[in-house]
Structure formats: C-alpha cells, structure tokens
Amino acid sequence: MNSDDSWEPRMERARRLHRPSLEDWKRDGLKETFPAFVADLEQEGNYRSFYLDAETEKKNQHQQIPAVLDAAAVTREDFYRYEIEKIPSVLCNIPAGFDGGEWRGKWPAQENWQLERLVKDDTLMDRRFKCGEDDDERNIKIRLKHFLGYTEGNKDDSPLYIFDSAFDEDSKANRILRDYRVPSYFSDDLFGLVSESRRPPYRWFLVGPERSGTCVHIDPLATSAWNTLVVGKKRWVLFPPNVPKSVVKGRGLVREDEDDEAIHYFMYILPRIKRKAQSLRHAEQYEDFACYEFTQNAGETVFVPNGWWHAVLNLSDTVAVTQNFCSPRNFDDVWLKTRTGRKRMAWKWLCQLEIKYPELAARAKAANKRDNFAMKYDPVEIERREREERRRKAAKKLRKLRKKRRIFHRGWKRNPCVPKPRGTDCQSPDKESKRRRTDPRATVSP
C-alpha cells in the first residue's frame, strides 16, 4: 500500500474527531491481554445464565435463554411464540439458505462479505462508511479500504467500528442490499408504511475489528432487532426488561480510568455488576436479577425482543447486518414510544395504518383514548389547540384591560383630578371647578 493510500493518518483524524479527550488509544494494552480473555470464554460453556438464587433459576428453567432454533425446521408461525413472549433467540442456518423451515437460497453475503473478498471489491473499497460521530453528532466517514487496513493493523484498546445505516442511498453501496435477505421471521415492517426519509434509521451494515463493540442499551422506540453475523464471533450479554437501568449500567462501579466502551464493560464492569448483585441479592433493585451471556458464531442470527438490555463485543474481526423492526406482535409497545418520541411521524403512520391495517389503527386509538393522549399533529387536535390559544389570548387581553381600569379607578379615588393633556398641571380642584362638576346648569368656557 503506497503512502497515498495509508490508513494511519486518516484513522488518526477519525480518532481525534470521535474521542478528542482520549490522548492514548492504547493506554490499557488490551490488545495483548484480550486473547487470554477470549480463551477463558471459550473454555466455558457457550450459553451461560446468571441467577442470584435457586428460586429465580427455577422461575426461568422452563425456557432456555436464548432459545437456540434451526431455521431449517422452525416455521414463521412457530417463531411468533418467541416474539410474543419476548424470548431472545439464536436462529441457525439463515445465511446458509434456510428460512421458515424451507430452503430459500444461500445469501451472496456468505462469499461477498468475507474480508479477503471485500478487499478485492473496488466499488465498495472506495466508498465512505460511517465509523463514528464527533461531539456535534456529525458523522465521521472513512473509505472501506482504509478501514480494513486499520482493522488489520490497529492496536487500539477499543477500535472504531463501521456502523453504517446509509448504504442503501448510493449506487456504490446499495448492492449490499442484494447480498442478504430479511428473514421471513422478521419480514413484518410496519414502519415501512412511512417514507424512508421520515422513519428513523433501522438497518446497518457492520464491520467490527476485534475488541470493538456496542455498550449496553435498549433498542429505540421499543423496536425489536435481529442481527446476522456473516464473518467472525461476537459476545453478547442480555438483561431482562425488569432489571433497572442503574444496575445494568453499573452505576457506581465504573472507575475514572474506564470508558463507556464495550471492552471495558465485558472485561471489568460486568463481573462487578454480578458480584454486587450477589452481595445485595435482597435489595429491591436486584429482585429477579438475571443476565445471559453467549457467543454468536458466523451464520447465526440473534433475535433481541423489545425492552431487553444488551451489549455486544467483537471477539474477532466481524462483518454483519442488523435491523430493527416493528411487527403486529410488538406494535402496542412501539406505538406508545413513537407517539411521544416521533410525533409527526406517528400521525403519518396512523393515517397509513387506518388504510392498510385498520385493526392496528384501532388498537392505537384505543391506547390514546385510554391514556387521554392527544396527538400533536391530528387536525382535530390542531384546531382545538388553536381555539384554546385564541381564547387564552382574548382572556389575557381582557385581564390587562380590567387591570388598567382598576388602576385608573384607584387613582381617581385618591386624586379626582381629571387627567390633563401633557404640559398641564394636575392641581387640587378649586371650589369653582367643583361647582361646575356638580351644577348641571354650569357651562364650561372655551
């Protein structure tokens, strides 16, 4: 690679923009210690559940979490139970060609997304992908050829991570859409009823170097998500929706020299969370505490139900695709979040639901009525607010007028002098002026 194509100066600039306060991205030397951490994980069983006591474990023993399913056998209707009951799942063999219990054809991504294949793809290699944001939330983009060089040669504790949602917007990258197929289990896309420009970002192409990842979070607007890994290995941790945010985030357990990064979370903070939960098992915030850890291998698809906390760490260099979605099964939760979080979109969405899915529109309206919730962009609501605003302004104007009158009458009682034009004195009235005011026969001289 010649000096003009060197990745180092470009990635150094991306680092400075993404985390300007971090002077040394290699300060903890995690590149050297990470292999031992991964080896320890691989020596243990892949699917690990952590409960505080036997009683909590007994409550959950009827269902393995995550459920491990084979797309060659599980139909779309069979899977709905896991979505309705919000059971995290790992679906095998989807990129290999199976889906909904049938053979649908192998994903082209199985070949096209291999790292050695990507470096030969001149079209994609020259395209800029998002790998972070600056302090003003502006996207930081880098050419794929430079990022893949960085993936191979960096020694950062927590490397940058391509997490691009705009790959469908240009002719260079939209061929990625042809390399994979949305699994039939997740093909319901109710947000698709609104325009692409109005709906929130919902699908991402991911290229993650070893040690990169995403810290613990819940997916936005109560959506569920699926993530298919084509290359590499990812480590996951899941927390049920009942676990408080303060517990999941490890409040009070993060040291000053640690960052809000996935590698610190998995290597240091998560073990502390479990130890604290064990020591404070009777505290209210740790009631029914549980967490689930597992490794996702290439060819597997992880389903994360809405409301579940999750974090991901790339154990090796990875390539994946992920999407958030709203279906009739999670619609009620999504509607409650969307009507407040995306007010204009929610109204447009409701109008389309009334045409395409009237039963879902009825559920949304019933929820609004139950909660006495008025939609901001409903024309009826707009007219009502305008009437109220006109009444408010009229009442305010009337109050001002009455206040002026009260001030005038109080002033008149204290000093019955009629206000004079500018330049005249207001003196105590003499007897003659009093007589003129009281004598109806009196005349006023010009």
Side-chain angles (χ1 to χ4, degrees):
M1 184 177 290
N2 60 49
S3 59
D4 292 337
D5 286 335
S6 176
W7 60 266
E8 285 94 340
R10 293 168 173 83
M11 293 308 301
E12 181 59 32
R13 178 178 179 274
R15 289 189 189 103
R16 289 197 307 269
L17 289 172
H18 184 59
R19 299 179 67 190
S21 62
L22 183 59
E23 297 180 359
D24 185 4
W25 283 58
K26 312 175 191 67
R27 69 183 185 188
D28 296 331
L30 295 181
K31 178 176 173 59
E32 286 70 34
T33 59
F34 191 67
F37 171 75
V38 174
D40 289 341
L41 292 178
E42 292 177 346
Q43 288 178 359
E44 302 169 349
N46 185 12
Y47 298 97
R48 292 195 296 164
S49 302
F50 179 85
Y51 302 108
L52 293 182
D53 49 49
E55 182 179 350
T56 306
E57 184 174 2
K58 187 176 181 180
K59 289 180 182 178
N60 295 277
Q61 67 180 3
H62 67 285
Q63 176 63 61
Q64 176 186 334
I65 296 177
V68 181
L69 309 171
D70 189 349
V74 177
T75 67
R76 185 181 180 187
E77 290 72 23
D78 292 337
F79 182 77
Y80 286 165
R81 178 179 77 86
Y82 298 91
E83 189 182 355
I84 292 170
E85 297 180 14
K86 299 183 179 180
I87 300 172
S89 307
V90 174
L91 289 146
C92 306
N93 294 319
I94 289 178
F98 291 98
D99 188 357
E102 301 177 359
W103 172 258
R104 299 291 182 86
K106 185 179 177 181
W107 284 14
Q110 287 278 80
E111 297 179 0
N112 295 342
W113 294 4
Q114 299 299 318
L115 294 176
E116 59 272 15
R117 185 73 172 265
L118 283 176
V119 298
K120 299 177 182 178
D121 189 328
D122 294 335
T123 302
L124 283 185
M125 288 290 279
D126 201 45
R127 201 264 190 185
R128 294 178 182 271
F129 290 87
K130 177 184 174 182
C131 65
E133 293 181 346
D134 64 16
D135 289 344
D136 296 321
E137 297 185 351
R138 290 175 297 201
N139 292 342
I140 302 168
K141 293 188 175 184
I142 196 78
R143 281 190 170 87
L144 184 60
K145 63 181 177 182
H146 298 135
F147 191 85
L148 291 181
Y150 167 77
T151 297
E152 183 179 356
N154 87 89
K155 297 181 180 180
D156 296 347
D157 293 330
S158 179
L160 292 170
Y161 189 2
I162 281 182
F163 217 95
D164 193 284
S165 63
F167 61 86
D168 59 336
E169 295 178 358
D170 62 72
S171 58
K172 286 185 177 181
N174 64 11
R175 47 143 284 200
I176 292 174
L177 291 171
R178 300 191 294 272
D179 284 343
Y180 76 95
R181 178 178 58 250
V182 175
S184 63
Y185 310 107
F186 319 116
S187 58
D188 289 320
D189 181 18
L190 296 177
F191 277 161
L193 295 176
V194 297
S195 65
E196 289 286 324
S197 61
R198 192 174 295 281
R199 68 182 299 179
Y202 68 103
R203 61 185 171 200
W204 294 266
F205 175 63
L206 316 177
V207 181
E210 177 184 290
R211 302 183 306 283
S212 63
T214 53
C215 208
V216 67
H217 65 282
I218 292 177
D219 287 321
L221 299 180
T223 54
S224 299
W226 60 269
N227 180 303
T228 297
L229 182 61
V230 176
V231 176
K233 291 185 177 184
K234 291 178 180 284
R235 187 70 176 177
W236 289 72
V237 62
L238 303 173
F239 297 88
N242 64 281
V243 181
K245 178 179 180 179
S246 59
V247 173
V248 168
K249 292 284 188 178
R251 184 178 297 170
L253 300 176
V254 183
R255 297 173 182 170
E256 290 185 2
D257 60 342
E258 293 170 347
D259 302 310
D260 186 24
E261 299 291 327
I263 192 165
H264 288 122
Y265 189 83
F266 277 87
M267 293 184 71
Y268 306 124
I269 301 169
L270 180 57
R272 292 178 202 146
I273 291 173
K274 292 190 287 187
R275 287 196 298 269
K276 186 174 182 179
Q278 192 70 47
S279 63
L280 299 177
R281 67 177 67 187
H282 300 298
E284 182 180 355
Q285 66 265 38
Y286 292 101
E287 183 178 358
D288 293 332
F289 176 89
C291 70
Y292 307 92
E293 298 175 71
F294 63 95
T295 297
Q296 177 190 18
N297 295 298
E300 295 178 343
T301 299
V302 173
F303 163 66
V304 183
N306 63 302
W308 277 74
W309 295 94
H310 55 285
V312 186
L313 177 65
N314 291 312
L315 301 182
S316 66
D317 298 338
T318 62
V319 183
V321 62
T322 186
Q323 291 195 188
N324 289 48
F325 68 96
C326 172
S327 75
R329 271 76 60 193
N330 66 354
F331 172 78
D332 295 330
D333 293 335
V334 174
W335 175 253
L336 297 182
K337 293 289 185 180
T338 305
R339 71 183 186 182
T340 55
R342 294 270 182 161
K343 296 178 182 179
R344 186 183 296 275
M345 189 196 87
W347 172 249
K348 299 286 186 180
W349 191 29
L350 181 59
C351 292
Q352 292 300 313
L353 287 168
E354 288 180 329
I355 299 171
K356 304 290 180 59
Y357 298 93
E359 68 282 1
L360 295 181
R363 280 159 56 179
K365 291 179 178 179
N368 290 351
K369 184 176 180 180
R370 177 196 66 207
D371 302 334
N372 195 28
F373 182 84
M375 299 194 69
K376 182 176 180 180
Y377 293 96
D378 183 345
V380 176
E381 175 62 17
I382 291 174
E383 174 61 27
R384 184 189 67 80
R385 287 199 305 271
E386 290 176 349
R387 287 198 305 271
E388 289 184 354
E389 181 66 13
R390 289 194 294 268
R391 291 194 193 102
R392 187 189 66 80
K393 289 182 177 179
K396 183 178 180 180
K397 185 176 181 180
L398 182 60
R399 286 194 301 270
K400 286 184 176 180
L401 180 61
R402 287 174 176 171
K403 184 177 180 180
K404 288 181 179 179
R405 287 176 177 174
R406 286 196 300 270
I407 292 172
F408 175 80
H409 287 301
R410 284 198 298 268
W412 176 268
K413 289 179 181 178
R414 288 195 299 268
N415 183 6
C417 173
V418 177
K420 301 291 184 180
R422 182 180 297 178
T424 62
D425 295 328
C426 183
Q427 300 175 349
S428 298
D430 55 17
K431 292 182 179 180
E432 180 62 22
S433 62
K434 288 182 180 179
R435 184 189 66 78
R436 287 199 300 267
R437 287 202 302 270
T438 57
D439 189 353
R441 295 169 300 171
T443 59
V444 179
S445 300

